[in-house]
């Protein structure tokens, strides 16, 4: 029997004439093996686990933004947008790569370009005091410029506030302001410990002089609701025209009721419920990204994500 060539199944990974799907996986814990904690983070372990099971043919980019001795940190956002949306430049020009004065991990790792280059992002990180880690929060604060940031700093002499305010009121602003990373998919997986062994089994911290001051029943984000810690990041993406389906926004609990010393990476992988939640999230990510396929305009977006800040040794 002769096989009909027209009926041959096309590759679901790399159809003819198309580039491979590109995903960026980011581990957002502060912990690093070679810094003060002395042990690696769950986020890094989960990042590597996820990268290893991505479909063959996909281009997988990974980054750990954890703290490391002697390594630049992500600099804080300066809230330029509060003075004028046109003062908030895409990509951020408050800082630049290879700066000796204000070394910035966002630029030194080319995170703007790598985020622009990817069809989908997967962000993995802990829940720290009912919110995302400071590293992830800093990164997303700096990504305020992806939502309508000014792609033409030459029009405001790089950082002239009065010129930016004038531009924001001009007809030209409506033409040039846009969501610069529109169309991408973002997925979030966060994990907490439900208070570890610091609680009395009923949600109340053990070491309180005046436990009557609050009602433990109102303790936020327990169990499956842990994902709510990343609510702000999810809505920042959605507001910026970046797709975050509910199925790709999940949380899990590791180490509930345990001492922190007994809640390390090797302990995490033995927790069936938490690992099942993670693996289901990865499967949902693969399924969604595969069905959605590559997004257009990647090359142009990557080019637009290049720095406009001087890169000499005295640049800020």
């Amino acid at each position: 029997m002769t096989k009909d060539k027209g009926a041959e199944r096309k590759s679901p990974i790399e159809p003819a004439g198309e580039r491979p799907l590109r995903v960026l996986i980011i581990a957002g814990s502060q912990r690093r093996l070679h810094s003060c904690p002395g042990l690696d983070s769950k986020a890094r372990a989960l990042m590597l686990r996820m990268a290893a099971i991505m479909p063959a043919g996909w281009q997988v980019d990974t980054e750990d933004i954890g703290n490391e001795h002697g390594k630049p940190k992500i600099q804080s956002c300066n809230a330029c947008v509060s003075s004028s949306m046109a003062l908030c430049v895409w990509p951020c020009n408050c800082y630049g790569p290879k700066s000796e004065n204000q070394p910035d991990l966002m630029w030194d790792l080319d995170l703007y370009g790598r985020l622009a280059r990817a069809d989908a992002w997967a962000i993995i990180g802990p829940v720290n005091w009912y919110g995302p880690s400071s590293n992830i929060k800093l990164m997303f604060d700096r990504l305020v410029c992806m939502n309508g940031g000014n792609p033409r700093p030459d029009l405001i002499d790089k950082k002239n506030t009065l010129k930016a305010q004038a531009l924001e009121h001009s007809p030209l602003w409506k033409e040039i302001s846009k969501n610069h990373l529109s169309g991408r998919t973002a997925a979030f997986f966060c994990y907490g410990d439900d208070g570890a062994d610091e609680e009395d089994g009923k949600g109340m911290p053990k070491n309180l002089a005046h436990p009557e001051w609050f009602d433990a029943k109102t303790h936020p984000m327990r169990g499956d609701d842990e994902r709510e810690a990343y609510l702000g990041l999810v809505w920042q993406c959605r507001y910026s025209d970046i797709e975050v389906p509910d199925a790709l926004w999940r949380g899990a609990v590791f180490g509930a009721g345990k001492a922190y010393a007994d809640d390390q990476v090797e302990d995490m992988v033995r927790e069936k419920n938490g690992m099942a939640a993670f693996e289901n999230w990865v499967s949902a990510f693969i399924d969604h990204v595969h069905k959605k396929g590559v997004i257009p305009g990647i090359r142009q977006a990557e080019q637009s994500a290049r720095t406009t800040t001087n890169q000499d040794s005295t640049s800020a």
Side-chain angles (χ1 to χ4, degrees), residues 73-142:
K73 306 297 188 291
I74 297 176
Q75 294 281 357
S76 298
C77 174
N78 291 318
C80 297
V81 69
S82 296
S83 296
S84 169
M85 188 70 241
L87 192 63
C88 182
V89 169
W90 168 259
C92 175
N93 71 340
C94 294
Y95 308 98
K98 303 177 182 178
S99 171
E100 294 181 1
N101 298 326
Q102 297 185 96
D104 175 45
L105 199 62
M106 284 287 285
W107 274 118
D108 287 0
L109 294 178
D110 187 28
L111 281 175
Y112 292 104
R114 292 161 72 184
L115 288 161
R117 191 178 303 135
D119 297 293
W121 316 331
I123 314 295
I124 303 169
V127 175
N128 291 347
W129 289 116
Y130 313 103
S133 71
S134 54
N135 298 24
I136 292 178
K137 187 62 169 66
L138 283 168
M139 184 181 79
F140 275 92
D141 280 352
R142 291 281 301 285

Side-chain angles (χ1 to χ4, degrees), residues 137-158:
K137 187 62 169 66
L138 283 168
M139 184 181 79
F140 275 92
D141 280 352
R142 291 281 301 285
L143 286 172
V144 63
C145 55
M146 71 182 176
N147 174 248
N150 182 1
R152 293 283 308 277
D154 57 301
L155 298 175
I156 59 169
D157 292 344
K158 181 185 175 182

Side-chain angles (χ1 to χ4, degrees), residues 46-47 49-50 124 189 274-283:
L46 294 173
M47 174 190 74
R49 190 182 187 98
M50 183 176 188
I124 303 169
F189 183 85
M275 292 306 298
F278 173 73
E279 287 164 5
N280 289 338
W281 173 75
V282 173
S283 295

Side-chain angles (χ1 to χ4, degrees), residues 103 169 174 237:
H169 287 108
K174 294 181 180 179
C237 287

Side-chain angles (χ1 to χ4, degrees), residues 26-224:
I26 293 177
S29 172
Q30 299 98 321
R31 297 174 69 206
R32 277 290 186 93
L33 177 63
H34 300 297
S35 60
C36 295
L39 292 170
D40 234 340
S41 70
K42 298 181 184 71
R44 180 177 176 83
L46 294 173
M47 174 190 74
L48 295 175
R49 190 182 187 98
M50 183 176 188
I53 58 177
M54 289 293 100
W58 286 22
Q59 292 181 355
V60 182
D61 185 10
T62 60
E63 190 56 69
D64 183 353
I65 58 174
N67 298 340
E68 194 163 340
H69 292 310
K71 182 180 180 181
K73 306 297 188 291
I74 297 176
Q75 294 281 357
S76 298
C77 174
N78 291 318
C80 297
V81 69
S82 296
S83 296
S84 169
M85 188 70 241
L87 192 63
C88 182
V89 169
W90 168 259
C92 175
N93 71 340
C94 294
Y95 308 98
K98 303 177 182 178
S99 171
E100 294 181 1
N101 298 326
Q102 297 185 96
D104 175 45
L105 199 62
M106 284 287 285
W107 274 118
D108 287 0
L109 294 178
D110 187 28
L111 281 175
Y112 292 104
R114 292 161 72 184
L115 288 161
R117 191 178 303 135
D119 297 293
W121 316 331
I123 314 295
I124 303 169
V127 175
N128 291 347
W129 289 116
Y130 313 103
S133 71
S134 54
N135 298 24
I136 292 178
K137 187 62 169 66
L138 283 168
M139 184 181 79
F140 275 92
D141 280 352
R142 291 281 301 285
L143 286 172
V144 63
C145 55
M146 71 182 176
N147 174 248
N150 182 1
R152 293 283 308 277
D154 57 301
L155 298 175
I156 59 169
D157 292 344
K158 181 185 175 182
K159 221 63 179 172
N160 184 302
T161 302
L162 295 180
K163 288 188 176 182
Q165 291 175 333
L167 175 60
E168 190 176 8
H169 287 108
S170 74
L172 178 60
W173 179 243
K174 294 181 180 179
E175 296 179 19
I176 65 174
S177 179
K178 66 175 184 178
N179 290 324
H180 298 280
L181 300 178
S182 177
R184 283 152 188 78
T185 296
F188 294 87
F189 183 85
C190 61
Y191 53 88
D193 53 36
D194 232 5
D197 65 347
E198 296 185 65
E199 297 184 355
D200 62 2
K202 299 179 181 179
M204 180 66 74
K206 295 175 182 176
N207 300 318
L208 291 180
H210 298 281
E212 71 277 7
W213 284 0
F214 72 95
D215 182 3
K217 294 179 181 179
T218 64
H219 195 151
M221 298 181 299
R222 307 310 299 264
D224 292 339

Side-chain angles (χ1 to χ4, degrees), residues 90-91 107 116 151 178 180-181 298-308:
W90 168 259
W107 274 118
K178 66 175 184 178
H180 298 280
L181 300 178
I298 286 283
R299 180 174 297 178
Q300 295 88 339
E302 185 181 356
Q303 290 174 341
S304 75
R306 294 173 180 169
T307 182
T308 56

